[in-house]
Amino acid sequence: MRLSITIIKSKPNRNGSYGVKIMLSHNQRSAYLSTPYKINSLTEWDGKAICSRPDADYLNSKLYDFLHRCEEVAFGLDYDNMTINTLLKEISAGVKIKTNMERKSQRDLYHEKREKYYDFVIKSYQQGMTIREIAELVPLSKSTVQRWADEHLKKDCSELPMEMPIPRTVGAVSKQLKAMNSRITELECRLEMQNKQVEALKRIIEILKDENII
């Protein structure tokens, strides 16, 4: 059994391009497995690999990665006792499984990195660093850092009035905190006055009861 990269020159696509394929040779027979890659014309094929285009090296590296996946699957099978069609189906199914697993692993890694960066951004912002300073320390754009900071503030300030703007700098945060503290002090004073009024009314009621007026 042998696997190799090829094109079928006698079977171009309708637009004149050619799909690059994996050729499976087994028991003196050949079968082909399609790949996601193609060339625009025969001038972009040198017999073994893609050529004469700016992205040739990139596409060839992807093709050989695909070939290696096929080989890993194929050599794990009992291919001596398989027909070429059965072998081709098993290789195709195995490659899809491996590809899906790799994509899932990449997604998991992406989410893990994102959580780490998010935690770093929020902690740094809470410690008083500016958006620009944080963006210089992580591989993220300034707008992404700003968006994450805004999202975090919205969660922490979910009970604030909708018209209250979200602070975007340390100075703005400090200014808003001072305004909030001033408002809290004002409300506490009002509450204290109301409590004093309630106590005064209670004393008046007690006096009236003692005088048998009520």
Side-chain angles (χ1 to χ4, degrees):
M1 181 193 69
R2 189 168 68 89
L3 292 163
S4 59
I5 298 173
T6 190
I7 63 169
I8 304 176
K9 295 182 179 180
S10 61
K11 293 184 178 181
N13 298 321
R14 290 183 179 180
N15 61 359
S17 63
Y18 292 81
V20 183
K21 300 182 182 296
I22 302 296
M23 183 173 71
L24 169 63
S25 301
H26 180 58
N27 292 337
Q28 298 182 341
R29 294 187 62 193
S30 297
Y32 299 90
L33 180 65
S34 296
T35 74
Y37 310 103
K38 65 180 180 179
I39 57 174
N40 297 313
S41 68
L42 293 177
T43 58
E44 296 178 355
W45 184 253
D46 68 1
K48 294 181 179 180
I50 296 174
C51 64
S52 303
R53 51 187 292 172
D55 57 352
D57 290 341
Y58 171 78
L59 292 176
N60 285 325
S61 68
K62 290 294 184 180
L63 276 169
Y64 278 97
D65 284 344
F66 192 86
L67 175 63
H68 292 155
R69 284 198 196 99
C70 293
E71 290 174 337
E72 286 177 357
V73 174
F75 290 119
L77 299 172
D78 184 18
Y79 56 84
D80 285 334
N81 297 315
M82 292 176 136
T83 66
I84 192 168
N85 290 333
T86 301
L87 183 55
L88 189 67
K89 289 179 181 178
E90 291 292 332
I91 293 174
S92 178
V95 167
K96 286 180 181 178
I97 292 172
K98 285 181 67 67
T99 301
N100 289 337
M101 290 178 64
E102 289 174 1
R103 286 175 179 171
K104 183 179 183 301
S105 177
Q106 290 173 353
R107 286 196 300 269
D108 291 343
L109 181 62
Y110 165 78
H111 289 301
E112 181 181 345
K113 286 185 177 180
R114 186 186 186 280
E115 288 177 3
K116 288 182 179 179
Y117 287 137
Y118 183 86
D119 290 341
F120 176 81
V121 167
I122 299 308
K123 287 179 182 178
S124 300
Y125 189 72
Q126 290 173 333
Q127 291 170 0
M129 293 181 66
T130 65
I131 298 299
R132 178 178 294 178
E133 289 171 339
I134 298 171
E136 291 176 351
L137 298 176
V138 291
L140 301 169
S141 66
K142 184 179 175 182
S143 60
T144 297
V145 174
Q146 182 67 71
R147 177 168 54 82
W148 285 1
D150 289 350
E151 289 173 358
H152 177 73
L153 286 170
K154 284 180 180 178
K155 291 177 182 177
D156 277 2
C157 306
S158 58
E159 296 182 0
L160 293 177
M162 292 298 293
E163 64 273 8
M164 183 174 289
I166 295 175
R168 291 181 174 270
T169 64
V170 175
V173 172
S174 177
K175 184 177 180 180
Q176 191 171 89
L177 286 174
K178 287 180 181 179
M180 291 173 65
N181 287 331
S182 177
R183 178 61 174 166
I184 290 171
T185 302
E186 180 185 349
L187 293 173
E188 287 175 343
C189 290
R190 289 186 182 181
L191 180 60
E192 185 178 358
M193 291 178 62
Q194 289 176 351
N195 288 336
K196 288 180 179 179
Q197 291 174 351
V198 170
E199 290 298 325
L201 288 172
K202 286 182 178 179
R203 288 197 295 270
I204 292 172
I205 291 172
E206 289 175 358
I207 293 172
L208 292 175
K209 285 181 177 180
D210 291 341
E211 297 293 332
N212 294 323
I213 298 175
I214 57 173

